[in-house]
Amino acid sequence: PRVFLFDEPFSSLDAKLRGQARIELRRLLDEFPVTSIYVTHDQQEAVTLAHKIAVMRNGAIEQVGTYRNLYENPINVFVATFIGTPTINLFEGVVNNHLWQGEHFGGYRVRGDLADGTKVIIGVRPEAIQLSDDGIPARVESVTPYYAERFLLLEVRTGQERWKMQVAPDMQVKVGETVHTVFSANTLLFFDSKTGVRIG
């Protein structure tokens, strides 16, 4: 055959068998390099098996690329929120004097051609948020250990805004504590609030 079509073939398997089946299928595809189209909702499955990934919505392709490219350079909010575990944090804000300003924090530089008052969403991945003595104060709402991945996932809150961040697995942090956080400015993604399209 010149092409294989796979429609979630491992969806009924338990986690252990599914992992083994992925490895075996990857081996077979390497041995017999036949073009294959594989449908899945499992990102790990896509990363394990695919050279290229197409993210679809309502029957249309939103973006095609490697997993890393989709993760680091999503073209819109849909792709940004679809790719990545834990999911990206999103914050509503406006442009003022070429700087993004949200409800509780801001000062992040945006494109110079955006008029004051333009509504913009910023996205920041959980691993791009660090603890800092002079950062944004936030109350810890939950602590979830990811032992295999070697981090703790914190969900924190300031006012009505919540976000998730990763910290070292040996960090001693409890629900109810206040931590101070900073966002890595060079990792921020900017999206038009109306269309969801990436603008920076």
Side-chain angles (χ1 to χ4, degrees):
R2 290 184 295 173
V3 63
F4 287 126
L5 305 178
F6 296 95
D7 187 4
E8 300 192 81
F10 306 144
S11 60
S12 62
L13 301 181
D14 63 36
K16 183 178 180 181
L17 284 175
R18 189 168 183 157
Q20 293 171 344
R22 287 176 189 155
I23 294 171
E24 179 63 11
L25 179 58
R26 176 75 269 175
R27 185 190 68 76
L28 288 169
L29 291 175
D30 288 340
E31 185 175 350
F32 305 101
V34 177
T35 298
S36 302
I37 298 174
Y38 192 103
V39 178
T40 181
H41 290 86
D42 187 324
Q43 292 186 36
Q44 185 58 49
E45 205 157 75
V47 173
T48 302
L49 296 172
H51 294 102
K52 285 186 179 181
I53 298 172
V55 177
M56 298 186 70
R57 175 170 55 168
N58 298 328
I61 294 176
E62 293 282 316
Q63 187 175 356
V64 178
T66 63
Y67 185 86
R68 181 173 180 176
N69 178 251
L70 296 173
Y71 187 83
E72 296 179 350
N73 297 292
I75 64 168
N76 56 34
V77 169
F78 178 81
V79 175
T81 54
F82 189 82
I83 296 292
T85 304
T87 56
I88 194 170
N89 299 291
L90 299 176
F91 304 93
E92 294 276 359
V94 296
V95 175
N96 185 20
N97 195 27
H98 308 308
L99 299 175
W100 180 92
Q101 185 62 48
E103 182 179 356
H104 298 286
F105 51 87
Y108 305 112
R109 184 159 297 280
V110 297
R111 268 180 18 195
D113 61 336
L114 298 177
D116 285 357
T118 302
K119 293 182 178 180
V120 172
I121 298 170
I122 65 165
V124 56
R125 299 287 182 186
E127 68 272 16
I129 305 174
Q130 290 86 38
L131 297 175
S132 173
D133 292 337
D134 57 353
I136 305 160
R139 181 182 184 275
V140 177
E141 300 268 288
S142 68
V143 180
T144 305
Y146 282 72
Y147 293 115
E149 294 82 359
R150 302 290 298 157
F151 67 83
L152 298 178
L153 183 68
L154 306 185
E155 184 169 355
V156 301
R157 174 177 178 173
T158 294
Q160 298 301 311
E161 292 182 320
R162 288 183 171 88
W163 61 95
K164 296 175 181 176
M165 60 182 296
Q166 296 178 14
V167 297
D170 57 351
M171 180 179 174
Q172 301 299 314
V173 60
K174 296 179 181 178
V175 172
E177 289 185 9
T178 296
V179 295
H180 293 78
T181 68
V182 293
F183 299 168
S184 298
N186 63 340
T187 65
L188 296 179
L189 304 174
F190 296 90
F191 304 93
D192 182 274
S193 289
K194 291 182 179 179
T195 64
V197 173
R198 174 94 176 272
I199 57 175

